[in-house]
Amino acid sequence: MTNDPFEEAVSVLADSRHLVLACHIGPDGDALGSMLGLGMAAKQAGKTVIASFGTPFTVSENYRFLNTDLLVPPSQVPDAPEVMVTFDAGSADRLGELAKAAGNAETVLVIDHHVTNTGFGNVNLIDPTAAATAEIVVMLLERLGWPVDEEIATALLTGLVTDTGRFQYSNTTPRTLEAAARMVEAGARPEIIGQHVYEETPFGYLHAAGAVLGRAQLDAERRLVWSVLTIDDLKSARIAPTDTDPLIDAIRTAVESDVALLIKEVDGGKVKASLRSRGRVDVGAIAVELGGGGHHNAAGFTFAGSADAAVEAVRSRLDPVE
Ligand code: 5GP
Ligand code: MN
């Protein structure tokens, strides 16, 4: 073994015949794209591959244009895989029920870019300077010498596009853009990804967005804007929780705010919080304090309590600005 995590990851992947892949629950474009991209390449390299994520086992409509043939429900994941590779999961609990399989696996390879990731695998390929886990996978595939076809490139470019907010967040580096350029060269079509990810919502989403925007509130002193998505909003709009990902982007445009908070009610008296920062405040640190994690400018946590209590937990961690 060497100390270069890239080389260690290359040996793990090159030397094993069967791979079990897992990404974080409620997968976004980076979680799915990085996992499916590496999975398809591994399959073409002759490996048997399955990919999964913890319940609810639903792929957001916006990502169904990706080739998802490798996906199996978490119930079909072996209890103790030989090799398990995790994607975009900052900690084992982000794997949902698949955390157990990771705990039992002979070898766990963690591929991730969360600064809060302390490394829960035997091999930890964690690079917080990467804009997306997909950026790490692009470099890894090059080291492996595994070819990138149009479907692999599309999955990986989707990860790059979504985690950089279409290359407009501060995590976008020359290396990110070079990785994206290589994916376009390999056949990925930016306009097709843009269309599916950013230009399509179910009609009911419009009403849910109306309700959430209508109840947005501003704490001007703390420069916090927040709103709540209720279970009733989802029911009356007849949409799935996975359809609501763009809502946080709709409320965070309030220029009077530095931090945006969207609380989503989930069953069982719990709420899921999404946090976004314009840069002054480290929302990742706030999320960690509240049992979650993420990045400086984008983070989240699950909270056992009411929406109001979750808002208060965040608000009390923000200092008033004059
Ligand atoms: P989102 O608000 O889009 O769900 O998540 C934003 C960022 O925070 C993502 O990088 C995501 O991985 C991370 N994140 C969201 N929720 C949680 C959580 O409950 N725990 C941890 N560790 N990270 C989270
Ligand atoms: Mn990511």
Side-chain angles (χ1 to χ4, degrees), residues 7 34 95 108 140 180 202 255 272 300:
E7 275 180 35
S34 59
L95 299 171
V108 179
L140 187 56
V255 73
K272 167 95 183 72

Side-chain angles (χ1 to χ4, degrees), residues 30 88 113 133 163:
D30 188 33
D88 207 36
H113 68 132
T133 301
D163 260 29

Side-chain angles (χ1 to χ4, degrees), residues 149-274:
D149 68 11
E150 185 185 326
E151 286 186 328
I152 297 169
T154 301
L156 294 172
L157 185 59
T158 298
L160 294 169
V161 166
T162 52
D163 260 29
T164 58
R166 307 181 232 189
F167 306 111
Q168 66 180 358
Y169 298 158
S170 58
N171 58 2
T172 308
T173 66
R175 195 179 72 181
T176 317
L177 295 166
E178 280 156 15
R182 291 201 293 277
M183 294 306 99
V184 175
E185 213 155 25
R189 303 256 307 268
E191 80 281 19
I192 290 181
I193 295 170
Q195 181 69 35
H196 288 296
V197 176
Y198 297 108
E199 308 294 339
E200 294 172 1
T201 65
F203 175 73
Y205 170 81
L206 305 183
H207 289 168
V212 168
L213 296 182
R215 62 175 85 96
Q217 295 193 57
L218 178 74
D219 180 334
E221 260 200 311
R222 289 176 179 76
R223 299 188 57 81
L224 170 70
V225 64
W226 77 92
S227 191
V228 181
L229 172 78
T230 67
I231 290 176
D232 279 349
D233 291 339
L234 289 179
K235 279 191 189 143
S236 53
R238 297 188 191 177
I239 57 172
T242 48
D243 293 323
T244 61
D245 289 351
L247 284 174
I248 183 72
D249 293 322
I251 63 165
R252 73 197 177 108
T253 58
V255 73
E256 296 85 351
S257 72
D258 288 331
V259 174
L261 168 64
L262 178 65
I263 306 287
K264 298 176 179 180
E265 287 183 355
V266 289
D267 285 330
K270 281 191 194 167
V271 300
K272 167 95 183 72
S274 282

Side-chain angles (χ1 to χ4, degrees), residues 24-224:
H24 67 72
I25 51 173
D28 56 14
D30 188 33
L32 276 174
S34 59
M35 175 170 76
L36 295 171
L38 186 109
M40 286 187 272
K43 185 145 191 221
Q44 287 172 20
K47 319 281 175 190
T48 61
V49 183
I50 58 169
S52 189
F53 55 88
T55 44
F57 184 65
T58 314
V59 174
S60 162
E61 285 286 347
N62 298 84
Y63 300 125
R64 290 193 194 168
F65 71 102
L66 297 175
N67 181 336
T68 57
D69 290 351
L70 292 175
L71 283 183
V72 301
S75 56
Q76 287 179 30
V77 170
D79 290 334
E82 248 170 73
V83 179
M84 186 144 172
V85 189
T86 72
F87 297 83
D88 207 36
S91 50
D93 63 294
R94 292 280 290 153
L95 299 171
E97 71 256 52
L98 292 180
K100 217 170 150 202
N104 294 334
E106 238 166 80
T107 305
V108 179
L109 165 60
V110 169
I111 307 179
D112 187 33
H113 68 132
H114 289 90
V115 69
T116 48
N117 195 330
T118 51
F120 57 93
N122 310 89
V123 176
N124 298 296
L125 181 53
I126 300 165
D127 180 359
T129 71
T133 301
E135 185 175 321
I136 304 173
V137 171
V138 169
M139 295 187 283
L140 187 56
L141 290 180
E142 273 162 15
R143 294 250 196 153
L144 280 156
W146 289 356
V148 172
D149 68 11
E150 185 185 326
E151 286 186 328
I152 297 169
T154 301
L156 294 172
L157 185 59
T158 298
L160 294 169
V161 166
T162 52
D163 260 29
T164 58
R166 307 181 232 189
F167 306 111
Q168 66 180 358
Y169 298 158
S170 58
N171 58 2
T172 308
T173 66
R175 195 179 72 181
T176 317
L177 295 166
E178 280 156 15
R182 291 201 293 277
M183 294 306 99
V184 175
E185 213 155 25
R189 303 256 307 268
E191 80 281 19
I192 290 181
I193 295 170
Q195 181 69 35
H196 288 296
V197 176
Y198 297 108
E199 308 294 339
E200 294 172 1
T201 65
F203 175 73
Y205 170 81
L206 305 183
H207 289 168
V212 168
L213 296 182
R215 62 175 85 96
Q217 295 193 57
L218 178 74
D219 180 334
E221 260 200 311
R222 289 176 179 76
R223 299 188 57 81
L224 170 70

